[in-house]
Amino acid sequence: MCGFAERVPVATALERLLARVAPLAPESVPVTEAADRVAAVEVRARIAVPHFPRAMMDGYAVAAASTTSASETRPRSLSVIGEVRAGHAYDGSLVRPGDAVRITTGAALPPGADAVLMAELTDPGRDGEVQAVAAVPPGKHVAPVGEDVDEGAVVLHAGRRLRPQDAGVVASVGVGAVAVVRRPRVRILITGDELLAPGAMPEGPRVVDSNSLVLHALCRRDGAAAVEIVRLPDDPRAIETAMREPADLTLVTGGSSVGPEDHAPRVLAALGELTVHGVAMRPSGPAGFGFIGPRPVFLLPGNPVSCLCAYAFFAGPALRRLGGRSVAWPERSVRARLTRKVSSPLGRTDYLRVRLTPDGDGWNAHPVMLSGASILSSTTEADGAVIVDEGSEGHAEGDEVLVYRYDEAS
Amino acid sequence: MCGFAERVPVATALERLLARVAPLAPESVPVTEAADRVAAVEVRARIAVPHFPRAMMDGYAVAAASTTSASETRPRSLSVIGEVRAGHAYDGSLVRPGDAVRITTGAALPPGADAVLMAELTDPGRDGEVQAVAAVPPGKHVAPVGEDVDEGAVVLHAGRRLRPQDAGVVASVGVGAVAVVRRPRVRILITGDELLAPGAMPEGPRVVDSNSLVLHALCRRDGAAAVEIVRLPDDPRAIETAMREPADLTLVTGGSSVGPEDHAPRVLAALGELTVHGVAMRPSGPAGFGFIGPRPVFLLPGNPVSCLCAYAFFAGPALRRLGGRSVAWPERSVRARLTRKVSSPLGRTDYLRVRLTPDGDGWNAHPVMLSGASILSSTTEADGAVIVDEGSEGHAEGDEVLVYRYDEAS
């Protein structure tokens, strides 16, 4: 029995992976469900916003010239010839010089009017009249047609992950449905005779599977539509049957290495292609991935930190790309100063957990001492991760490093 | 008719609001649904992890002393007395000096063994034997009881928003359910005779309501469990009936000002308390809020940028606090240099939209010119917002400002 024949550098593995992963085909969703989805094509305005000259204040719609030289001391009297409220059609006559139409914010300006005289700039007049006590120029308190969006304008570019306000703009331009990248369906195969389902009390030689919970939450964060979790014994036939089932992306945890009980790599090689097996990284050295048809299948070590780490480096970027999102790590990053030297052999990528403490305007990063691949609590005690890449032999105390924060991911 | 008698400074308004908003009562959820929820009480380990000495490699469980001085040239022969695989109980006899038990990663060490001799450090022996070609010290490749978590240790503090790995750790220590802060139920009342539901084509004097979509997405982002949207005419009785309906937090859009069609403030004052009405800010000056019993009710202007802004300053923090989250803005912030002077009167808080462009290691922030309260596209063209607080008269060109990025919120 021997170890991995070759360990593939992280960058090479990622390149081989992403070369074969593309966004899923688009689907159409109602605009009410478009927020946070990724636009598959650009969206153009079907109508201008506003599509009529719109009053921006409560008051009187007038021809601006009717108010010329009006003031507190020399008010000008206007005939109130009608009223128009937001959402209602004006059914009165043309607004001529000397006329005024009561209007509320959001209503369409009646024909002949070109300005709104704020209610605050009027005094009551005789029956059927109002007094303008100030002059208003044409266009005052009127939003012209297209002030917000012109008809035909691009309101959304392809590839945009819709922010809350994007969904609002799309609806406002009369678009009812948006073509968005389909969200990936994920299957997670948890292998291991020793594993109990989350919620159980560990007993005898059995422990609770935590990887399914961690991966489920990560997949949801990264835009998965559905995440199905299947628990399997260390049985190659059971793993093969489960690995054949359709999905957009499959994760397999446990049995990813080269021992006799490590069935997943052999099963994947038989069903499709084992593209990478063994990566020059720590933790997660025994990770791998391949494809069954176009579908990526990830072999994640069962040790929980390795599992988390292999997801972060490979499965996560692939999942996000399938859903049209950025492959970049979604964790917020901050620069921090290392408080202790860390060593890492040339040619290996290390995933270092650190605690952050504020230091003036910046941060200090303290490497977490308990850093074994099986110590999941090291990732809950830590505030983030530092990547020591393969070209580096580590960092000296005081070096500035980039920390991906566990607490803030988008 | 006149404007607001008084405009309350933003900080004062926020203080009055948050003094009366506390996290909702806890509820118990299965650990499988605990990710991203906020722990209401601390969680302790019911059992150590691992709860037995665990093999960390495939190989042979041995008494370490049995391998003393073993080497390639002077291997030591061990009797293979049994086998134990992960998840299975060992039913063989005590491991004595000179004995070896085949073991797989994750299995419990049999009694008498204190180390794992990696398979890679053995050669085949005669029938029933294996050759150790290296010495291992006691504890080698064995995770001792509690290496990850000690029994009784606090694995989660109250107030923690559970990261993916937190859910994993909680499951691993035998905890099946977690007390978490209940997620708020939100009702959004969209008022305005002029509004069509999203998905419609604007026609005649009617426009499409975009606020419901923006607010819905923001509330979801901020942890709302359910968001109910109700569309209402400009009718005080309809607004009153809808405002009475139970929720943890109510948002009302439109008719928030002081005109004759602005019913919401009067309805709220009659049903409960109008705590703040009119804020010294732009946009969103006509915003307000109050309470019906303990329930906060927010009056958001109908203009979409004002609506977004009033949510960001007041409703969002309250919603997050109800759900046990931080009141701080969830948008990622970056420092950037203003490329143009911006003015803001003393005593007023301004919400400025900016575009960001990279500039060396940093960013430039370009104020978006179209900054009217009704121009929703200004928030989709912008990359983020700058707050010019009431104590500032604005910023000079080149000043460094903090930009809350629209594209990255957690």
Side-chain angles (χ1 to χ4, degrees):
Chain A
M1 195 152 101
C2 64
F4 286 90
E6 175 214 22
R7 299 224 187 219
V8 181
V10 164
T12 309
L14 198 58
E15 203 176 304
R16 289 191 203 160
L17 171 66
L18 294 178
R20 293 172 60 177
V21 177
L24 299 172
E27 64 181 356
S28 177
V29 298
V31 66
T32 48
E33 293 164 23
D36 210 35
R37 299 296 298 267
V38 175
V41 296
E42 70 177 19
V43 174
R44 288 175 179 272
R46 296 180 63 203
I47 191 169
V49 179
H51 65 280
F52 50 75
R54 182 163 60 182
M56 300 306 291
M57 285 283 177
D58 291 346
Y60 294 86
V62 296
S66 311
T67 65
T68 305
S69 77
S71 68
E72 291 275 357
T73 49
R74 297 196 50 182
R76 291 191 61 169
S77 221
L78 304 171
S79 303
V80 180
I81 63 165
E83 181 183 20
V84 57
R85 287 184 302 123
H88 299 272
Y90 175 70
D91 56 5
S93 52
L94 188 71
V95 178
R96 298 173 191 278
D99 290 345
V101 171
R102 284 181 63 97
I103 195 164
T104 64
T105 305
L109 234 61
D114 62 6
V116 171
L117 178 68
M118 277 170 69
E120 288 89 332
L121 300 180
T122 63
D123 277 339
R126 286 177 302 186
D127 240 23
E129 290 188 354
V130 69
Q131 305 269 17
V133 301
V136 288
K140 187 72 179 174
H141 298 315
V142 176
V145 170
E147 184 192 46
D148 190 347
V149 184
D150 283 325
E151 187 178 331
V154 174
V155 293
L156 215 58
H157 291 280
R160 171 94 152 196
R161 183 170 162 198
L162 272 75
R163 305 169 190 173
Q165 57 265 42
D166 292 333
V169 166
V170 169
S172 75
V173 298
V175 172
V178 186
V180 295
V181 178
R182 188 165 65 74
R183 295 162 67 204
R185 287 167 300 113
V186 176
R187 267 168 68 85
I188 305 179
L189 313 184
I190 303 289
T191 75
D193 290 351
E194 77 279 23
L195 298 176
L196 299 164
M201 183 71 181
E203 47 80 26
R206 306 182 76 189
V207 297
V208 174
D209 151 48
S210 59
N211 287 331
S212 64
L213 291 188
V214 178
L215 293 173
H216 183 272
L218 290 169
C219 290
R220 284 289 189 181
R221 179 197 75 183
D222 286 344
V227 179
E228 192 181 356
I229 293 167
V230 182
R231 286 194 177 72
L232 299 168
D234 287 313
D235 168 12
R237 276 164 306 186
I239 295 170
E240 180 184 329
T241 304
M243 215 187 269
R244 283 182 189 277
E245 288 288 314
D248 295 310
L249 182 147
T250 301
L251 304 176
V252 186
T253 72
S256 74
S257 191
V258 292
E261 293 292 318
D262 292 305
H263 308 298
R266 291 188 291 269
V267 171
L268 177 54
L271 289 180
E273 173 195 313
L274 182 58
T275 312
V276 164
H277 190 211
V279 184
M281 64 191 297
R282 191 166 78 174
S284 288
F289 60 82
F291 292 86
I292 299 175
R295 165 168 53 104
V297 178
F298 294 86
L299 309 179
L300 310 176
N303 266 328
V305 183
S306 298
C307 180
L308 178 72
C309 178
Y311 179 91
F313 276 86
F314 303 112
L319 179 57
R320 292 191 295 275
R321 174 165 286 177
L322 284 174
R325 296 193 186 186
S326 166
V327 298
W329 287 27
E331 288 86 358
R332 206 168 295 205
S333 61
V334 292
R335 291 182 188 282
R337 278 186 192 289
L338 271 181
T339 58
R340 200 161 56 79
K341 172 178 184 289
V342 294
S343 301
S344 169
L346 269 183
R348 190 180 78 191
T349 300
D350 281 8
Y351 176 87
L352 184 73
R353 285 133 274 166
V354 298
R355 297 186 72 128
L356 289 170
T357 53
D359 176 26
D361 265 2
W363 295 94
N364 284 326
H366 313 269
V368 170
M369 304 299 285
L370 288 170
S371 58
S374 63
I375 316 237
L376 185 56
S377 62
S378 67
T379 66
T380 62
E381 282 165 24
D383 297 306
V386 171
I387 298 167
V388 184
D389 72 29
E390 64 184 50
S392 162
E393 291 190 86
H395 294 288
E397 182 185 326
D399 274 7
E400 195 179 81
V401 292
L402 202 64
V403 179
Y404 292 93
R405 294 187 63 151
Y406 287 137
D407 58 338
E408 298 181 329
S410 60
Chain B
M1 195 152 99
C2 64
F4 287 90
E6 175 215 22
R7 299 228 188 213
V8 180
V10 164
T12 309
L14 198 57
E15 201 175 308
R16 288 188 201 163
L17 171 64
L18 294 178
R20 291 174 61 177
V21 176
L24 298 172
E27 64 181 356
S28 177
V29 297
V31 66
T32 48
E33 293 165 25
D36 209 36
R37 300 295 299 267
V38 175
V41 296
E42 70 177 20
V43 174
R44 288 175 178 272
R46 293 180 65 203
I47 191 169
V49 179
H51 65 282
F52 50 75
R54 182 163 58 183
M56 300 306 290
M57 285 283 177
D58 291 347
Y60 294 87
V62 295
S66 312
T67 65
T68 306
S69 77
S71 68
E72 292 275 356
T73 49
R74 298 193 52 181
R76 291 190 62 169
S77 221
L78 304 172
S79 303
V80 180
I81 61 165
E83 182 183 20
V84 57
R85 288 186 299 123
H88 297 273
Y90 174 69
D91 54 7
S93 52
L94 188 71
V95 178
R96 297 174 192 277
D99 290 345
V101 172
R102 284 182 62 98
I103 195 164
T104 63
T105 306
L109 234 61
D114 62 3
V116 172
L117 179 67
M118 277 171 68
E120 289 88 333
L121 300 181
T122 64
D123 278 339
R126 286 177 301 185
D127 237 25
E129 291 189 354
V130 68
Q131 305 271 18
V133 300
V136 289
K140 188 69 179 177
H141 298 315
V142 177
V145 170
E147 184 192 44
D148 190 348
V149 183
D150 284 324
E151 186 179 331
V154 174
V155 293
L156 214 59
H157 290 279
R160 171 92 154 200
R161 184 170 161 197
L162 272 76
R163 306 170 189 171
Q165 57 265 42
D166 291 334
V169 166
V170 169
S172 74
V173 297
V175 171
V178 186
V180 296
V181 178
R182 188 165 65 74
R183 296 164 65 204
R185 287 168 299 113
V186 175
R187 267 168 67 85
I188 305 179
L189 314 183
I190 303 289
T191 75
D193 290 352
E194 76 278 24
L195 297 177
L196 299 164
M201 183 69 182
E203 47 80 27
R206 306 182 76 189
V207 297
V208 174
D209 151 47
S210 59
N211 288 331
S212 65
L213 291 188
V214 178
L215 293 173
H216 184 271
L218 290 170
C219 289
R220 284 289 189 182
R221 178 196 77 184
D222 286 343
V227 179
E228 190 181 358
I229 293 168
V230 182
R231 287 195 176 70
L232 299 168
D234 288 313
D235 168 12
R237 275 164 307 186
I239 295 170
E240 180 184 329
T241 304
M243 214 187 271
R244 284 182 189 276
E245 288 288 315
D248 295 310
L249 182 147
T250 301
L251 303 175
V252 187
T253 72
S256 75
S257 190
V258 292
E261 294 293 318
D262 293 305
H263 307 298
R266 289 187 292 270
V267 171
L268 176 53
L271 289 180
E273 174 195 314
L274 183 58
T275 311
V276 163
H277 190 211
V279 184
M281 65 192 296
R282 190 165 82 174
S284 290
F289 60 82
F291 292 86
I292 299 176
R295 165 166 54 103
V297 178
F298 294 87
L299 309 179
L300 312 176
N303 268 327
V305 184
S306 298
C307 181
L308 178 72
C309 178
Y311 179 91
F313 277 86
F314 303 112
L319 180 56
R320 292 192 294 275
R321 173 164 287 177
L322 283 174
R325 297 193 185 186
S326 165
V327 299
W329 286 28
E331 288 86 358
R332 208 168 292 206
S333 61
V334 292
R335 291 182 187 282
R337 280 188 189 288
L338 271 181
T339 58
R340 200 160 55 79
K341 172 176 184 289
V342 295
S343 301
S344 169
L346 268 183
R348 190 180 79 191
T349 300
D350 280 9
Y351 176 87
L352 184 73
R353 285 132 274 165
V354 297
R355 296 188 73 128
L356 288 171
T357 54
D359 177 25
D361 266 1
W363 296 93
N364 284 327
H366 313 267
V368 169
M369 304 299 284
L370 288 170
S371 58
S374 62
I375 318 245
L376 185 55
S377 61
S378 67
T379 66
T380 62
E381 284 166 23
D383 296 305
V386 171
I387 298 168
V388 185
D389 73 28
E390 64 183 54
S392 161
E393 291 190 86
H395 295 287
E397 182 185 325
D399 274 6
E400 195 180 79
V401 292
L402 201 66
V403 180
Y404 291 93
R405 294 187 64 151
Y406 286 137
D407 57 338
E408 298 181 328
S410 59

